[in-house]
């Protein structure tokens, strides 16, 4: 018998992520139509661009060697410059308007790593993070692991309900807990899992609210803009970061994974310098810098214009598949379904009538699986015991990776299943 | 005036890493000969191999897309298989002998990330880690950050002094602190910074000692084998992992950064399954998997035999530069210098007479800088207040990145400086 070993409190607090559970189903059911995976569309991956950019780099010993040598913890200067130049060109986020320059930009191993680093640098056990209900479940894993306390604010078609945010903060203040509030986490474009974006008006108000409740210390907005580039039509909404004119309040994270290549695992952030410093110290401990090769390939693709051309193509693809999914929902789902037609991103959130729970142990989930369709149960997207439970009857449906025909077929099966359960009353038991 | 924000205890504990301080000097002094950087030799970076392997991958839509799509948290199955196959072929580490198979292997963003993950999963504030004096200073940063307590064991030409390790553990037991001991950290091949390897006899004894003191819980050996492949002659010493016949005691980490490409930031580990699980849960929070593209390129290079051919070339290059450095030390350094002629790796550790401190504020360091030579002060490599302070007069000298002529010139300047200070008595003040 092996001698037991003792894990850290953090490890003990870290649950098996729902994604592992879903992956297991996906592996056990290779013939399944997966509307669960948040993977990007395999057909649109930039094989030729990455091939050409790598050839370009490796054709010269100088650039080739630079790409294969260590970079710096903060990331490739050229790429960091491109990141802030793009924010300036697309959104008018500049040094003059926002005190943002390339010194505020960091490159990380996907934006996920930056979400982790920021949280690690700010959160002690018992600190409070406010997030939308529903919210991105992988970020919830970080909060579990750090022993943070989540407070959930309802979401609607315009993103996080900022009136409710205000009430939650006022409640916390009355309870003497305002000093523990560190972050408001918000996926501000085409949110995972709801697909909705925070309205411009609410962006401004969210910032004002956070500023007003920052009494003895600063409460940050952690703006996760992972899906920003996947909009189906121009113009883009302004990032919440745009309204942070002093570069003090909004920690902005973005990624090249969703619009370009997930396999290159490259994300970024634009942060106030005083928080960039502890983030860099912690990243020094994690890996002292993300893969330099990947950063140089992406920087080359951006410089050549390949990146922008590619993003246009990707958008068109998702727009088409989102329409297929939306049509299917209109046609096959129960009329009483609440859902949100996306303007970008990878997801549709559908809430079935309350008599059809969709959780991992539900009849509906099992029946869907029996029909070879996999979705993410909405339950995973609500932080337990965080003040707002939301519905038990939602699904996150992704058109990211499935082909249009599969999207249509998967939605048809789910919709017919829901209608059948509704009419037979099976789900009520 | 900005409102202050409140950092986590972990962030407050995380110091500016010495590497940032050194980088700043390196940037301020571009004409400097750097014997400080642990960078790999730029001239030997595998530009053609990476170009060819990437072409190979991108030539087919199937493999190209697979490389650019998300992988899994644990890493590419083909690469994990190659990792364990190589351990079997090179070291006889097999399932039969050690219960090690591909299910025990994980791919990470350099071995640094795995050192962090393992520490994070095991260490609470106040837990104890035993390490050599001197030791790898970037690992010390992890310990600072986690609030761990370090206990230092002296090193000699055969690696960590295992008799001293035994005494330290016995002392901790008497003090009732054995329950806090989680890890013995050891760079077992061509140690950073000393360049020495743990002798075979000591590897066996280290394992026995750790087993003997594992009374109520398991104390692990964290074997950092980052430099294993950079040996100047065959055969390799057996990894400490080889003597762990039940795959319970040794957490083995390795890397493709040092022997192949630092810019691809790909490392790995072979772990007992019961600790791999919490490590994977935590990696799920960090990044849910390292860049798939890099793993596929490396896997391809290994499969083609390019990787092994490249490693042979790299070894020959470092062997030559190590000899240049060793010759310079023999010729120019004070006779009373204690140093260790390396059989592999990237470093020579030189201890000057005690009258010449070499720390970052020392006369010697400043004089070296004035002569445009940069080294890592030995002081950085001893964990403060950890029971063994070591010498204040050591330098870590790397022949990794400097050209042979630069190595020779840098060593000449340092040696002459030391001799001059010794004869003039300047250093004594």
């Amino acid at each position: 018998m092996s001698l037991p070993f003792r894990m850290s409190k953090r490890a003990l607090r870290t649950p098996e992520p729902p994604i592992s559970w879903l992956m297991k189903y996906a592996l056990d059911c290779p013939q399944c139509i997966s509307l669960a995976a948040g993977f990007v569309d395999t057909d649109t991956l930039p094989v030729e661009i990455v091939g050409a950019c790598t050839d370009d780099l490796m054709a010269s010993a100088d650039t080739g060697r630079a790409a294969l040598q260590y970079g710096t913890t903060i990331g490739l200067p050229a790429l960091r410059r491109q990141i802030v130049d793009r924010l300036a060109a697309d959104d008018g986020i500049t040094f003059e308007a926002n005190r943002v320059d390339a010194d505020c930009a960091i490159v990380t191993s996907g934006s996920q790593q930056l979400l982790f680093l920021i949280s690690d640098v700010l959160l002690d056990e018992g600190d409070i993070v406010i997030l939308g209900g529903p919210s991105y479940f992988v970020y919830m894993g970080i909060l579990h692991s750090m022993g943070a306390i989540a407070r959930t604010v309802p979401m609607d078609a315009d993103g996080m309900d900022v009136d409710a945010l205000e009430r939650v903060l006022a409640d916390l203040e009355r309870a003497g807990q305002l000093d523990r509030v560190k972050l408001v986490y918000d996926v501000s474009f085409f949110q995972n899992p709801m697909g909705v974006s925070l309205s411009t008006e609410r962006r401004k108000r969210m910032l004002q609210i956070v500023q007003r409740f920052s009494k003895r210390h600063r409460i940050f907005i952690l703006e996760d803009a992972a899906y920003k580039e996947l909009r189906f039509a121009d113009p883009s909404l302004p990032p919440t970061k745009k309204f942070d004119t002093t570069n003090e309040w909004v920690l902005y994270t973005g990624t090249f994974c969703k619009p370009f290549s997930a396999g290159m695992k490259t994300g970024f952030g634009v942060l106030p310098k005083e928080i960039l410093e502890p983030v860099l110290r912690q990243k020094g401990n994690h890996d002292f810098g993300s893969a330099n090769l990947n950063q140089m390939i992406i920087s080359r693709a951006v410089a050549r214009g390949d990146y922008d051309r590619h993003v246009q193509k990707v958008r068109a693809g998702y727009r088409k598949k989102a329409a297929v999914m939306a049509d299917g929902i209109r046609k096959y789902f129960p009329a009483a379904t609440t859902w949100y037609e996306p303007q970008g991103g990878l997801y549709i959130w559908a809430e079935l009538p309350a008599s059809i729970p969709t959780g991992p142990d539900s009849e509906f989930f099992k029946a869907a699986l029996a029909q070879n369709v996999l979705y993410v149960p909405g339950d995973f997207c609500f932080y337990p015991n965080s003040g707002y439970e939301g519905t038990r009857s939602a699904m996150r449906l992704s058109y990211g990776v499935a082909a249009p025909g599969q999207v249509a077929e998967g939605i048809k099966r789910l919709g017919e299943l829901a209608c059948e359960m509704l009419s037979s009353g099976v789900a009520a038991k």
Side-chain angles (χ1 to χ4, degrees), chain A residues 128 130 151 163-181 212-213 215-216 219:
Chain A
I128 298 168
I130 300 175
R151 290 300 303 265
D163 292 327
L165 169 65
E166 197 167 12
R167 286 192 298 273
V168 164
L169 281 164
D171 285 348
L172 287 166
E173 185 173 23
R174 273 190 296 276
Q177 294 184 297
L178 204 53
D179 281 353
R180 300 310 298 264
V181 181
R212 188 148 50 80
F213 282 93
K215 306 220 160 152
R216 290 207 292 248
I219 299 171

Side-chain angles (χ1 to χ4, degrees), chain A residues 72-91:
Chain A
T72 55
T73 307
I74 194 170
L76 188 72
L79 185 58
R80 288 163 45 233
R81 161 61 47 206
Q82 288 165 322
I83 288 163
V84 296
D85 284 352
R86 293 174 69 81
L87 278 173
D90 295 351
D91 305 302

Side-chain angles (χ1 to χ4, degrees), chain A residues 141-256:
Chain A
I142 294 178
L143 298 184
H144 282 298
S145 162
M146 291 179 186
I149 294 169
R151 290 300 303 265
T152 293
V153 169
M155 300 275 300
D156 63 28
D158 288 327
M160 192 187 285
D161 176 347
V162 291
D163 292 327
L165 169 65
E166 197 167 12
R167 286 192 298 273
V168 164
L169 281 164
D171 285 348
L172 287 166
E173 185 173 23
R174 273 190 296 276
Q177 294 184 297
L178 204 53
D179 281 353
R180 300 310 298 264
V181 181
K182 296 284 186 74
L183 285 172
V184 176
Y185 172 70
D186 184 45
V187 180
S188 60
F189 296 90
F190 320 116
Q191 194 236 19
N192 181 354
M194 271 186 80
V196 301
S197 297
L198 192 66
S199 70
T200 302
E201 195 46 41
R202 286 191 179 179
R203 287 171 194 264
K204 294 179 193 167
R205 285 205 49 217
M206 183 185 280
L207 184 60
Q208 287 159 359
I209 291 167
V210 154
Q211 287 171 337
R212 188 148 50 80
F213 282 93
S214 290
K215 306 220 160 152
R216 290 207 292 248
H217 77 284
R218 224 185 303 175
I219 299 171
F220 293 107
I221 295 172
L222 177 49
E223 180 176 25
D224 178 346
Y227 302 95
K228 176 174 189 283
E229 302 215 45
L230 299 186
R231 62 184 171 274
F232 299 155
D234 287 322
S236 176
L237 283 170
T240 308
K241 183 77 194 163
K242 185 174 172 63
F243 304 106
D244 177 14
T245 55
T246 51
N247 190 18
E248 280 180 294
W249 301 94
V250 179
L251 315 178
Y252 181 88
T253 69
T255 188
F256 296 104

Side-chain angles (χ1 to χ4, degrees), chain A residues 90-106:
Chain A
D90 295 351
D91 305 302
I93 293 176
T94 62
F95 188 76
E96 293 65 32
N98 302 88
R99 300 195 204 156
V100 161
D101 61 17
D103 289 346
C104 308
I106 178 176

